[in-house]
Amino acid sequence: MDLSIELARRFKTEAAAHADTVFRLATDRGTLLVFSVRAGEIEFEPDASPDVTFTFDRAETARAIILGDADPMDAFMAGRFRSDGHLPLAFVLLGLFRQDFGGPPPD
């Protein structure tokens, strides 16, 4: 499934009520997605200027971490993703799509 479609489907409006951030997800090969989260809404904006960029070793790693199939701390410590910008926004990002950082992704 396309990552943007899956993120839109799993987006937790209540977790984004006070968010105002533009995220860029990338690999070393280029941008995967750019999206903004403002006042409980998500909008995919490929030309927006990001507040933070998360670069992953592979697109599959991005999907697994964001949706809850992989542990973000393990991946970060193993060098499978890095942040260019405000690293604590990683936890904001995870909270927008996952039920629990340690559990399976929501249905």
XYZ file of all heavy atoms in Angstrom:
827
model
N 0.848 -1.186 0.000
C 0.000 0.000 0.000
C 0.887 1.241 0.000
O 1.914 1.278 0.652
C -0.911 -0.013 1.233
C -1.815 1.204 1.335
S -2.877 1.242 2.792
C -4.102 0.074 2.302
N 0.474 2.247 -0.726
C 1.172 3.523 -0.784
C 1.264 4.112 0.627
O 0.277 4.139 1.362
C 0.398 4.454 -1.725
C 1.050 5.794 -1.851
O 0.712 6.681 -1.034
O 1.877 5.967 -2.756
N 2.449 4.592 1.002
C 2.655 5.096 2.358
C 1.738 6.265 2.686
O 1.197 6.341 3.787
C 4.126 5.480 2.565
C 4.511 5.920 3.975
C 4.197 4.860 5.016
C 5.991 6.288 4.021
N 1.526 7.186 1.772
C 0.659 8.335 2.063
C -0.776 7.879 2.336
O -1.444 8.406 3.232
C 0.694 9.368 0.943
O 0.224 8.824 -0.265
N -1.252 6.896 1.599
C -2.605 6.384 1.824
C -2.692 5.711 3.183
O -3.647 5.917 3.944
C -3.001 5.401 0.698
C -3.125 6.154 -0.615
C -4.300 4.667 1.046
C -3.263 5.259 -1.828
N -1.669 4.931 3.516
C -1.674 4.248 4.800
C -1.581 5.245 5.961
O -2.266 5.100 6.969
C -0.536 3.235 4.862
C -0.707 2.277 6.000
C -0.013 0.964 5.768
O 0.717 0.810 4.777
O -0.217 0.077 6.598
N -0.760 6.279 5.822
C -0.663 7.289 6.874
C -1.987 8.032 7.041
O -2.428 8.268 8.160
C 0.465 8.272 6.580
C 1.883 7.730 6.664
C 2.881 8.846 6.400
C 2.156 7.060 7.983
N -2.612 8.392 5.949
C -3.904 9.079 6.030
C -4.945 8.198 6.710
O -5.742 8.675 7.523
C -4.371 9.490 4.636
N -4.927 6.926 6.416
C -5.893 5.994 7.002
C -5.674 5.830 8.496
O -6.620 5.716 9.260
C -5.772 4.640 6.301
C -6.795 3.614 6.752
C -6.683 2.328 5.957
N -5.485 1.554 6.233
C -5.341 0.724 7.271
N -6.315 0.582 8.138
N -4.228 0.051 7.428
N -4.431 5.847 8.939
C -4.116 5.604 10.355
C -3.942 6.888 11.172
O -3.661 6.824 12.360
C -2.851 4.772 10.455
C -3.045 3.392 9.893
C -1.789 2.598 10.062
N -1.940 1.296 9.462
C -1.409 0.197 9.972
N -0.705 0.258 11.073
N -1.586 -0.954 9.366
N -4.061 8.023 10.535
C -3.847 9.314 11.199
C -4.793 9.475 12.387
O -5.995 9.264 12.278
C -4.061 10.444 10.198
C -3.794 11.802 10.754
C -2.523 12.196 11.088
C -4.838 12.695 10.938
C -2.267 13.463 11.590
C -4.598 13.962 11.441
C -3.312 14.346 11.769
N -4.235 9.831 13.531
C -5.020 10.007 14.765
C -5.242 11.507 14.990
O -4.376 12.205 15.504
C -4.294 9.367 15.936
C -4.187 7.865 15.783
C -3.508 7.109 16.889
C -2.826 7.846 17.960
N -2.143 7.022 18.941
N -6.407 11.960 14.602
C -6.750 13.380 14.693
C -6.549 13.927 16.097
O -5.997 15.019 16.279
C -8.205 13.601 14.237
O -8.325 13.105 12.904
C -8.598 15.051 14.285
N -6.982 13.172 17.110
C -6.886 13.650 18.489
C -5.435 13.848 18.921
O -5.143 14.733 19.728
C -7.615 12.704 19.448
C -7.007 11.324 19.587
C -7.313 10.339 18.467
O -8.039 10.678 17.508
O -6.815 9.207 18.534
N -4.506 13.076 18.394
C -3.092 13.218 18.745
C -2.465 14.441 18.083
O -1.413 14.903 18.499
C -2.324 11.960 18.343
N -3.127 14.958 17.059
C -2.585 16.080 16.297
C -3.292 17.397 16.582
O -3.056 18.385 15.898
C -2.686 15.767 14.813
N -4.123 17.428 17.598
C -4.942 18.603 17.866
C -4.125 19.879 18.028
O -4.549 20.946 17.607
C -5.802 18.366 19.101
N -2.933 19.780 18.607
C -2.125 20.972 18.865
C -0.837 20.996 18.046
O 0.042 21.816 18.300
C -1.810 21.075 20.355
C -3.035 21.149 21.202
N -3.859 22.250 21.236
C -3.619 20.227 22.001
C -4.875 22.014 22.037
N -4.756 20.789 22.512
N -0.739 20.109 17.084
C 0.487 20.030 16.275
C 0.484 21.096 15.186
O -0.554 21.481 14.678
C 0.592 18.648 15.640
N 1.663 21.558 14.852
C 1.857 22.503 13.752
C 3.275 22.282 13.226
O 4.200 23.006 13.578
C 1.669 23.932 14.234
C 1.743 24.944 13.098
O 1.763 24.526 11.925
O 1.797 26.144 13.391
N 3.429 21.238 12.420
C 4.746 20.824 11.973
C 4.680 20.289 10.549
O 3.702 19.666 10.168
C 5.296 19.702 12.903
O 5.285 20.168 14.249
C 6.703 19.313 12.531
N 5.754 20.529 9.804
C 5.897 19.926 8.477
C 7.004 18.878 8.580
O 8.127 19.188 8.988
C 6.242 20.964 7.395
C 6.441 20.290 6.044
C 5.157 22.029 7.309
N 6.663 17.640 8.243
C 7.580 16.519 8.299
C 8.022 16.141 6.893
O 7.214 16.132 5.972
C 6.892 15.280 8.901
C 6.485 15.438 10.332
C 5.192 15.823 10.659
C 7.376 15.166 11.359
C 4.803 15.948 11.978
C 6.990 15.295 12.682
C 5.693 15.687 12.992
N 9.282 15.781 6.777
C 9.799 15.202 5.521
C 10.361 13.844 5.862
O 11.168 13.714 6.789
C 10.890 16.075 4.923
C 11.505 15.479 3.659
C 12.558 16.440 3.057
N 13.217 15.830 1.932
C 14.456 15.342 1.961
N 15.189 15.428 3.065
N 14.982 14.795 0.878
N 9.922 12.821 5.147
C 10.452 11.476 5.281
C 11.271 11.200 4.036
O 10.810 11.432 2.918
C 9.318 10.460 5.406
C 8.258 10.744 6.472
C 7.203 9.643 6.462
C 8.886 10.889 7.847
N 12.492 10.700 4.237
C 13.397 10.518 3.103
C 14.279 9.291 3.291
O 14.362 8.730 4.391
C 14.279 11.755 2.948
N 14.922 8.904 2.211
C 16.037 7.957 2.249
C 17.209 8.697 1.630
O 17.061 9.838 1.156
C 15.741 6.668 1.441
O 15.687 6.995 0.060
C 14.455 5.995 1.894
N 18.356 8.067 1.594
C 19.507 8.694 0.954
C 19.279 8.899 -0.539
O 19.968 9.686 -1.176
C 20.772 7.871 1.185
C 21.236 7.952 2.631
O 20.927 8.947 3.310
O 21.907 7.007 3.089
N 18.290 8.226 -1.094
C 17.958 8.363 -2.519
C 17.011 9.515 -2.803
O 16.799 9.877 -3.951
C 17.334 7.076 -3.035
C 18.295 5.927 -3.036
C 17.647 4.696 -3.579
N 18.606 3.617 -3.631
C 18.387 2.480 -4.226
N 17.234 2.260 -4.825
N 19.308 1.547 -4.221
N 16.383 10.070 -1.761
C 15.486 11.202 -1.979
C 14.268 11.172 -1.082
O 14.140 10.339 -0.179
N 13.368 12.096 -1.336
C 12.175 12.279 -0.513
C 11.151 11.175 -0.752
O 10.855 10.828 -1.888
C 11.526 13.641 -0.825
O 12.462 14.673 -0.483
C 10.243 13.856 -0.050
N 10.608 10.657 0.356
C 9.495 9.712 0.296
C 8.173 10.471 0.366
O 7.283 10.254 -0.441
C 9.563 8.715 1.456
C 10.783 7.806 1.513
C 10.823 7.067 2.844
C 10.770 6.835 0.353
N 8.068 11.359 1.349
C 6.842 12.137 1.580
C 7.172 13.427 2.292
O 8.109 13.478 3.088
C 5.899 11.395 2.538
C 5.055 10.251 2.104
C 4.251 9.764 3.300
C 4.121 10.624 1.002
N 6.361 14.448 2.040
C 6.372 15.665 2.845
C 4.917 15.925 3.198
O 4.050 15.919 2.328
C 6.955 16.872 2.089
C 6.886 18.132 2.958
C 8.390 16.602 1.652
N 4.670 16.108 4.496
C 3.299 16.376 4.915
C 3.287 17.303 6.121
O 4.237 17.353 6.894
C 2.531 15.078 5.215
C 3.106 14.246 6.324
C 2.650 14.383 7.626
C 4.093 13.320 6.061
C 3.172 13.611 8.644
C 4.618 12.527 7.069
C 4.158 12.676 8.371
N 2.210 18.054 6.226
C 2.042 18.945 7.368
C 0.944 18.401 8.270
O 0.024 17.713 7.821
C 1.678 20.357 6.907
O 0.415 20.360 6.274
N 1.089 18.713 9.531
C 0.082 18.385 10.527
C -0.222 19.674 11.261
O 0.661 20.271 11.871
C 0.594 17.296 11.498
C -0.431 17.027 12.577
C 0.949 16.039 10.746
N -1.468 20.111 11.120
C -1.887 21.373 11.739
C -3.301 21.218 12.270
O -4.200 20.824 11.521
C -1.869 22.511 10.722
C -0.490 22.913 10.289
C -0.517 24.160 9.399
N 0.829 24.493 8.987
C 1.421 24.035 7.891
N 0.780 23.239 7.073
N 2.650 24.388 7.599
N -3.472 21.539 13.546
C -4.800 21.582 14.167
C -5.632 20.337 13.868
O -6.786 20.415 13.500
C -5.541 22.840 13.742
N -5.008 19.184 14.015
C -5.727 17.933 13.852
C -5.925 17.463 12.428
O -6.650 16.507 12.189
N -5.278 18.083 11.474
C -5.426 17.713 10.060
C -4.070 17.340 9.478
O -3.043 17.899 9.856
C -6.000 18.883 9.254
C -7.362 19.366 9.719
C -8.472 18.382 9.396
O -8.366 17.672 8.375
O -9.436 18.321 10.172
N -4.078 16.415 8.529
C -2.871 16.047 7.799
C -3.057 16.442 6.338
O -4.143 16.281 5.782
C -2.566 14.534 7.917
C -1.220 14.198 7.255
C -3.702 13.691 7.360
C -0.740 12.780 7.533
N -2.003 17.008 5.763
C -2.053 17.400 4.354
C -0.705 17.063 3.721
O 0.347 17.417 4.249
C -2.336 18.894 4.214
C -2.528 19.329 2.792
C -2.958 20.786 2.681
O -3.523 21.334 3.637
O -2.699 21.359 1.617
N -0.748 16.363 2.616
C 0.467 15.989 1.901
C 0.843 17.139 0.979
O 0.069 17.536 0.116
C 0.249 14.675 1.152
C -0.017 13.550 2.110
C -1.311 13.203 2.451
C 1.028 12.891 2.723
C -1.557 12.197 3.376
C 0.796 11.889 3.648
C -0.497 11.542 3.970
N 2.043 17.702 1.231
C 2.496 18.914 0.545
C 3.919 18.714 0.044
O 4.870 19.051 0.731
C 2.477 20.098 1.507
C 1.150 20.365 2.178
C 1.237 21.572 3.092
O 1.401 22.684 2.577
O 1.143 21.389 4.304
N 4.103 18.171 -1.139
C 5.451 17.850 -1.612
C 6.395 19.043 -1.699
O 7.611 18.871 -1.627
C 5.223 17.224 -2.988
C 3.816 17.495 -3.350
C 3.068 17.832 -2.105
N 5.872 20.256 -1.824
C 6.736 21.433 -1.964
C 6.911 22.230 -0.676
O 7.587 23.260 -0.676
C 6.179 22.356 -3.059
C 6.165 21.669 -4.421
O 7.088 20.884 -4.702
O 5.219 21.895 -5.186
N 6.332 21.761 0.430
C 6.427 22.493 1.696
C 7.844 22.401 2.256
O 8.570 21.430 2.036
C 5.429 21.933 2.697
N 8.240 23.419 2.983
C 9.548 23.446 3.627
C 9.436 22.738 4.988
O 8.692 23.185 5.853
C 9.982 24.894 3.826
O 11.214 24.941 4.478
N 10.167 21.637 5.183
C 9.998 20.860 6.413
C 10.629 21.513 7.635
O 11.644 22.203 7.537
C 10.694 19.541 6.090
C 11.708 19.887 5.065
C 11.111 21.009 4.262
N 9.994 21.263 8.775
C 10.572 21.647 10.062
C 11.597 20.608 10.513
O 12.525 20.916 11.251
C 9.476 21.755 11.128
C 8.481 22.845 10.801
O 8.914 23.988 10.559
O 7.269 22.559 10.769
N 11.378 19.376 10.093
C 12.253 18.273 10.456
C 12.245 17.251 9.327
O 11.221 17.035 8.684
C 11.813 17.626 11.796
C 10.427 17.034 11.702
C 12.817 16.594 12.282
N 13.415 16.667 9.076
C 13.539 15.590 8.092
C 14.040 14.357 8.805
O 15.034 14.412 9.539
C 14.523 15.961 6.971
O 14.002 17.082 6.252
C 14.737 14.805 6.012
N 13.342 13.254 8.591
C 13.789 11.956 9.092
C 14.258 11.159 7.885
O 13.498 10.939 6.946
C 12.670 11.234 9.832
C 12.239 11.967 11.065
C 11.029 12.630 11.106
C 13.060 12.031 12.179
C 10.635 13.323 12.232
C 12.673 12.734 13.313
C 11.464 13.382 13.339
N 15.522 10.750 7.926
C 16.105 9.997 6.827
C 16.299 8.557 7.282
O 16.926 8.304 8.316
C 17.443 10.611 6.387
O 17.218 11.982 6.041
C 18.022 9.879 5.185
N 15.762 7.640 6.504
C 15.782 6.225 6.818
C 16.712 5.494 5.861
O 16.942 5.951 4.743
C 14.360 5.649 6.702
C 13.377 6.314 7.624
C 12.704 7.452 7.230
C 13.149 5.809 8.892
C 11.803 8.091 8.082
C 12.257 6.430 9.749
C 11.576 7.571 9.350
N 17.197 4.326 6.280
C 18.062 3.540 5.398
C 17.299 2.995 4.199
O 17.855 2.847 3.117
C 18.767 2.416 6.153
C 17.826 1.399 6.788
O 16.610 1.656 6.883
O 18.318 0.335 7.206
N 15.991 2.726 4.379
C 15.149 2.208 3.301
C 13.720 2.681 3.522
O 13.327 2.985 4.646
C 15.141 0.671 3.288
C 16.485 0.034 3.134
C 16.456 -1.487 3.190
N 15.765 -1.976 4.382
C 14.907 -3.001 4.387
N 14.621 -3.639 3.282
N 14.336 -3.380 5.501
N 12.933 2.720 2.484
C 11.516 3.094 2.608
C 10.778 2.127 3.521
O 9.900 2.522 4.289
C 10.859 3.142 1.229
N 11.137 0.852 3.473
C 10.495 -0.152 4.314
C 10.747 0.123 5.791
O 9.890 -0.136 6.635
C 10.991 -1.562 3.943
C 10.589 -2.004 2.557
C 11.490 -1.441 1.448
O 12.576 -0.891 1.729
O 11.072 -1.529 0.281
N 11.918 0.642 6.109
C 12.226 0.997 7.496
C 11.334 2.140 7.952
O 10.807 2.119 9.070
C 13.707 1.391 7.650
O 14.524 0.294 7.228
C 14.049 1.764 9.074
N 11.147 3.139 7.105
C 10.271 4.268 7.447
C 8.872 3.771 7.767
O 8.292 4.118 8.799
C 10.222 5.268 6.300
N 8.335 2.960 6.899
C 6.994 2.426 7.093
C 6.911 1.632 8.392
O 5.997 1.809 9.189
C 6.592 1.541 5.920
C 5.176 1.048 6.041
C 4.876 -0.121 5.100
N 3.556 -0.619 5.325
C 3.198 -1.366 6.369
N 4.065 -1.696 7.285
N 1.950 -1.774 6.512
N 7.870 0.742 8.628
C 7.855 -0.118 9.811
C 7.930 0.689 11.104
O 7.212 0.406 12.069
C 8.994 -1.120 9.742
N 8.768 1.703 11.128
C 8.912 2.517 12.344
C 7.665 3.361 12.576
O 7.108 3.384 13.675
C 10.173 3.395 12.260
C 11.419 2.513 12.350
C 10.168 4.462 13.362
C 12.706 3.242 12.078
N 7.210 4.051 11.568
C 6.080 4.955 11.731
C 4.801 4.208 12.090
O 4.019 4.657 12.922
C 5.878 5.808 10.464
C 7.072 6.739 10.299
C 4.579 6.612 10.540
C 7.146 7.408 8.961
N 4.599 3.037 11.501
C 3.355 2.306 11.724
C 3.426 1.299 12.857
O 2.423 0.678 13.188
C 2.912 1.638 10.424
C 2.634 2.629 9.291
C 2.264 1.885 8.024
C 1.561 3.631 9.675
N 4.582 1.129 13.480
C 4.662 0.310 14.681
C 5.190 -1.089 14.512
O 5.117 -1.883 15.443
N 5.727 -1.411 13.353
C 6.256 -2.750 13.138
C 7.716 -2.876 13.554
O 8.254 -3.982 13.563
C 6.109 -3.151 11.662
C 4.663 -3.214 11.228
O 3.802 -3.513 12.066
O 4.394 -2.953 10.041
N 8.365 -1.771 13.876
C 9.769 -1.787 14.299
C 9.942 -0.806 15.452
O 9.243 0.199 15.544
C 10.686 -1.401 13.140
N 10.880 -1.099 16.305
C 11.159 -0.253 17.460
C 12.006 0.950 17.022
O 13.098 0.769 16.468
C 11.900 -1.060 18.519
C 12.158 -0.237 19.759
O 13.100 0.584 19.742
O 11.423 -0.412 20.743
N 11.513 2.170 17.249
C 12.251 3.347 16.787
C 13.598 3.540 17.486
O 14.562 3.977 16.855
C 11.304 4.513 17.072
C 10.361 4.006 18.101
C 10.256 2.536 17.888
N 13.679 3.212 18.765
C 14.952 3.397 19.477
C 16.003 2.418 18.967
O 17.155 2.794 18.776
C 14.746 3.238 20.987
C 13.908 4.363 21.584
S 14.570 6.014 21.234
C 15.948 6.041 22.345
N 15.605 1.174 18.747
C 16.545 0.196 18.203
C 17.040 0.642 16.829
O 18.231 0.564 16.532
C 15.892 -1.187 18.085
C 15.690 -1.867 19.429
O 16.268 -1.407 20.443
O 14.950 -2.866 19.468
N 16.114 1.106 15.995
C 16.479 1.542 14.649
C 17.407 2.755 14.694
O 18.380 2.835 13.938
C 15.230 1.848 13.829
N 17.117 3.706 15.583
C 17.961 4.895 15.704
C 19.364 4.504 16.167
O 20.363 4.944 15.590
C 17.326 5.903 16.672
C 18.096 7.181 16.765
C 17.988 8.149 15.784
C 18.939 7.416 17.838
C 18.709 9.340 15.862
C 19.662 8.593 17.934
C 19.547 9.557 16.949
N 19.430 3.659 17.191
C 20.729 3.248 17.729
C 21.529 2.430 16.708
O 22.756 2.471 16.713
C 20.544 2.453 19.027
C 19.902 3.286 20.141
S 20.816 4.795 20.525
C 22.211 4.116 21.376
N 20.835 1.715 15.826
C 21.504 0.916 14.792
C 21.844 1.752 13.559
O 22.399 1.233 12.591
C 20.618 -0.261 14.400
N 21.498 3.037 13.573
C 21.803 3.908 12.443
C 20.865 3.745 11.267
O 21.184 4.161 10.160
N 19.690 3.184 11.509
C 18.742 2.953 10.416
C 17.894 4.179 10.125
O 17.199 4.225 9.124
C 17.873 1.742 10.736
C 18.718 0.468 10.784
C 17.948 -0.764 11.140
N 16.845 -0.953 10.227
C 15.711 -1.562 10.573
N 15.540 -2.039 11.781
N 14.744 -1.703 9.684
N 17.902 5.167 11.032
C 17.302 6.461 10.714
C 17.973 7.553 11.515
O 18.581 7.306 12.545
C 15.774 6.443 10.881
C 15.243 6.788 12.240
C 14.931 8.090 12.579
C 15.011 5.799 13.173
C 14.410 8.409 13.822
C 14.483 6.098 14.425
C 14.190 7.406 14.748
N 17.909 8.750 10.964
C 18.510 9.920 11.613
C 17.579 11.108 11.428
O 16.676 11.086 10.593
C 19.901 10.195 11.070
C 19.949 10.570 9.619
C 21.392 10.726 9.123
N 21.449 11.215 7.774
C 21.369 10.461 6.681
N 21.222 9.162 6.801
N 21.431 11.008 5.489
N 17.854 12.131 12.186
C 17.009 13.326 12.158
C 17.834 14.537 11.772
O 18.949 14.707 12.248
C 16.416 13.539 13.548
O 15.808 14.794 13.649
N 17.268 15.364 10.909
C 17.847 16.657 10.592
C 16.803 17.663 11.031
O 15.816 17.903 10.346
C 18.132 16.774 9.096
C 18.703 18.137 8.727
O 19.211 18.838 9.625
O 18.638 18.497 7.552
N 16.992 18.181 12.202
C 15.994 19.051 12.798
C 15.783 18.621 14.235
O 16.654 18.026 14.853
N 14.638 18.874 14.735
C 14.306 18.664 16.141
C 13.966 17.189 16.398
O 12.866 16.741 16.106
C 13.135 19.583 16.480
C 12.893 19.775 17.931
N 13.858 20.210 18.796
C 11.767 19.583 18.662
C 13.340 20.291 20.014
N 12.083 19.910 19.953
N 14.915 16.407 16.947
C 14.725 14.975 17.153
C 13.487 14.634 17.982
O 12.795 13.659 17.668
C 15.975 14.342 17.767
C 15.918 12.831 17.960
C 15.667 12.111 16.644
C 17.201 12.332 18.611
N 13.145 15.370 19.038
C 11.925 15.016 19.776
C 10.653 15.007 18.926
O 9.658 14.395 19.299
C 11.850 16.076 20.872
C 13.283 16.418 21.129
C 13.922 16.402 19.749
N 10.685 15.643 17.766
C 9.521 15.568 16.879
C 9.303 14.152 16.352
O 8.217 13.827 15.869
C 9.659 16.552 15.715
C 9.460 18.018 16.076
C 9.736 18.910 14.868
C 8.068 18.268 16.619
N 10.313 13.294 16.494
C 10.125 11.887 16.108
C 9.014 11.269 16.947
O 8.191 10.501 16.438
C 11.421 11.101 16.288
N 8.956 11.619 18.211
C 7.927 11.052 19.075
C 6.554 11.629 18.749
O 5.539 10.942 18.858
C 8.303 11.242 20.541
C 9.550 10.478 20.876
C 10.767 11.126 20.986
C 9.516 9.099 21.026
C 11.923 10.418 21.259
C 10.664 8.381 21.294
C 11.874 9.041 21.408
N 6.517 12.881 18.323
C 5.266 13.459 17.834
C 4.810 12.692 16.607
O 3.650 12.281 16.498
C 5.432 14.965 17.517
C 4.196 15.515 16.825
C 5.754 15.754 18.774
N 5.729 12.475 15.682
C 5.414 11.743 14.456
C 4.858 10.363 14.766
O 3.824 9.961 14.235
C 6.668 11.632 13.582
C 6.550 10.779 12.316
C 5.595 11.430 11.325
C 7.925 10.591 11.698
N 5.523 9.634 15.632
C 5.077 8.281 15.969
C 3.698 8.292 16.619
O 2.871 7.429 16.354
C 6.095 7.602 16.882
C 7.480 7.392 16.281
C 8.405 6.785 17.312
C 7.424 6.555 15.032
N 3.447 9.275 17.458
C 2.162 9.360 18.137
C 1.000 9.659 17.211
O -0.158 9.431 17.578
N 1.278 10.138 16.019
C 0.205 10.472 15.078
C -0.370 9.252 14.369
O -1.475 9.316 13.831
C 0.724 11.453 14.021
C 1.175 12.810 14.528
C 1.806 13.599 13.392
C 0.023 13.570 15.154
N 0.375 8.146 14.370
C -0.031 6.996 13.572
C -0.052 5.676 14.326
O -0.592 4.700 13.842
C 0.895 6.848 12.356
C 0.964 8.095 11.534
C 2.046 8.941 11.617
C -0.086 8.433 10.692
C 2.099 10.112 10.868
C -0.046 9.603 9.942
C 1.051 10.440 10.036
N 0.531 5.631 15.506
C 0.666 4.385 16.246
C -0.167 4.404 17.510
O -0.293 5.434 18.157
C 2.129 4.169 16.625
C 3.014 4.008 15.424
C 4.466 4.112 15.771
N 4.863 3.078 16.697
C 6.065 2.565 16.757
N 7.006 2.996 15.959
N 6.364 1.644 17.620
N -0.656 3.257 17.904
C -1.378 3.132 19.167
C -0.405 3.152 20.338
O -0.673 3.716 21.364
C -2.185 1.825 19.199
C -3.300 1.793 18.203
C -4.406 2.771 18.529
O -4.435 3.402 19.572
N -5.333 2.916 17.618
N 0.715 2.476 20.182
C 1.661 2.273 21.273
C 3.036 2.109 20.635
O 3.193 1.361 19.691
C 1.261 1.008 22.028
C 2.154 0.695 23.200
O 3.223 1.291 23.334
O 1.778 -0.169 23.989
N 4.047 2.765 21.178
C 5.378 2.670 20.597
C 5.891 1.241 20.566
O 6.660 0.881 19.731
C 6.379 3.557 21.334
C 6.107 5.020 21.175
C 6.203 5.858 22.259
C 5.749 5.556 19.969
C 5.956 7.213 22.118
C 5.499 6.909 19.822
C 5.599 7.728 20.912
N 5.470 0.405 21.511
C 5.989 -0.956 21.584
C 5.058 -1.997 21.009
O 5.415 -3.170 20.956
N 3.882 -1.644 20.599
C 2.913 -2.633 20.169
C 2.706 -2.665 18.680
O 3.364 -1.956 17.922
N 1.785 -3.486 18.265
C 1.502 -3.603 16.839
C 0.764 -2.385 16.321
O 0.183 -1.632 17.092
C 0.616 -4.857 16.765
C -0.043 -4.906 18.092
C 0.959 -4.356 19.078
N 0.779 -2.178 15.020
C 0.053 -1.047 14.447
C -1.444 -1.241 14.611
O -1.914 -2.371 14.752
C 0.451 -1.059 12.970
C 0.902 -2.447 12.709
C 1.444 -2.972 14.007
N -2.196 -0.155 14.642
C -3.648 -0.278 14.766
C -4.246 -0.931 13.546
O -3.684 -0.891 12.457
C -4.115 1.169 14.905
C -3.036 1.980 14.282
C -1.759 1.216 14.478
N -5.412 -1.528 13.729
C -6.133 -2.136 12.593
C -6.769 -1.095 11.730
O -7.125 -0.062 12.117
C -7.214 -3.093 13.089
C -6.589 -4.325 13.734
O -5.493 -4.715 13.311
O -7.221 -4.868 14.656
